Amino acid sequence: MARRKYVVGNWKMNGLSAAIADAQAIFAAAKDHPGVDVALCPPFTLIGGMVAAAPGAAVGGQDCHSAASGAFTGSVSALMLADAGATLVIVGHSERREGCGESDADIRAKAEAGLAAGLSVILCVGEPREVRESGGAIDYVLAQVAQSVPDDFDATRLSIAYEPIWAIGTGLVPTVADVAAMHGAIRGALTARFGGKADDMRLLYGGSVNGDNAAELLGAGDVDGALVGGASLTAAKFVPIVAATAALG
Ligand code: PEP
């Protein structure tokens, strides 16, 4: 099955209720590019309002707890996201791996919870700067993939986002050759473990993607789309990324 292009915005801890109008503008403009699946992951507080304001649009969470419910103050379960109208969830973002001490085992459990709740899951991996500079990036990321990707899943609902930590929010990006090498290595590892079903998994690149560099970065081998942070907050910045992705065919 051909993999559809996928561009996902991660709003992080940005956006009050007035920002739902920006989401509406993004989803409206995205209709001009029906070959690209577009999703936004706002803070939990905006999910219900965004779903109501943009019926049928793909809205997701930026994290979930691995348990369905219980004494986990401040956490939100995958079932709760689905109940709020979300259809996807990001797990394993480096800001949670590093800032909240999440391990590969935690992220695998969260991915399993998201899939069990019927959500699509975007599982993030990526190396810190010192690992890239020491030449160990591919081994580092493949270890994350091995330990955080569940054993059993619907491949059309599990995407991997390769996000080098040093490229997130910095304006720095890897070379196209480095992106292609990493995505090729991830695809190879998934195929070795899962066989042909790995062909259905989408591999996204994330890290300082914008309207100017999207065509080049997303044109690298084995890149099926982008996970976008800062440039996903407004239609003016995000829609050019969607358009560049659409133009790649
Ligand atoms: C991200 O945090 O997932 C991300 C890719 O951020 P940015 O696009 O701002 O680098």
Side-chain angles (χ1 to χ4, degrees):
M1 191 180 70
R3 296 186 298 272
R4 284 175 55 80
K5 297 288 184 195
Y6 197 17
V7 178
V8 181
N10 170 16
W11 279 17
K12 310 193 186 193
M13 198 172 74
N14 294 294
L16 301 177
S17 49
I20 287 176
D22 294 306
Q24 284 179 303
I26 287 169
F27 287 125
K31 289 187 176 152
D32 292 341
H33 306 288
V36 181
D37 292 339
V38 173
L40 289 177
C41 296
F44 293 133
T45 49
L46 292 187
I47 290 174
M50 201 177 278
V51 168
V59 176
Q62 301 168 13
D63 180 47
C64 65
H65 198 283
S66 57
S69 63
F72 302 105
T73 301
S75 296
V76 171
S77 75
L79 276 175
M80 291 169 178
L81 290 176
D83 186 54
T87 54
L88 70 148
V89 63
I90 297 168
V91 299
H93 193 284
S94 60
E95 287 156 14
R96 296 205 58 89
R97 286 179 183 264
E98 296 201 320
C100 305
E102 293 186 1
S103 68
D104 284 320
D106 295 329
I107 291 154
R108 176 178 167 137
K110 289 173 182 234
E112 288 172 343
L115 293 163
L119 301 174
S120 295
V121 171
I122 298 172
L123 192 160
C124 303
V125 294
E127 80 285 357
R129 180 194 300 270
E130 60 275 15
V131 171
R132 167 60 61 180
E133 288 173 352
S134 70
I138 288 183
D139 286 348
Y140 184 96
V141 167
L142 292 189
Q144 289 182 318
V145 169
Q147 287 158 33
S148 56
V149 174
D151 284 329
D152 188 25
F153 53 87
D154 168 359
T156 62
R157 285 200 290 124
L158 181 58
S159 304
I160 308 292
Y162 168 55
E163 298 205 303
I165 296 170
W166 50 271
I168 294 178
T170 60
L172 302 174
V173 292
T175 66
V176 172
D178 283 342
V179 173
M182 182 63 80
H183 281 232
I186 295 171
R187 179 80 62 200
L190 294 171
T191 302
R193 182 169 162 197
F194 299 112
K197 105 172 181 178
D199 287 347
D200 290 337
M201 296 175 70
R202 293 187 282 195
L203 305 186
L204 311 183
Y205 168 77
S208 294
V209 176
N210 59 44
D212 294 330
N213 64 21
E216 191 178 16
L217 288 167
L218 276 55
D222 243 316
V223 179
D224 301 308
L227 180 56
V228 183
S232 70
L233 292 168
T234 62
K237 290 187 174 173
F238 193 52
V239 175
I241 299 171
V242 176
T245 307
L248 291 168

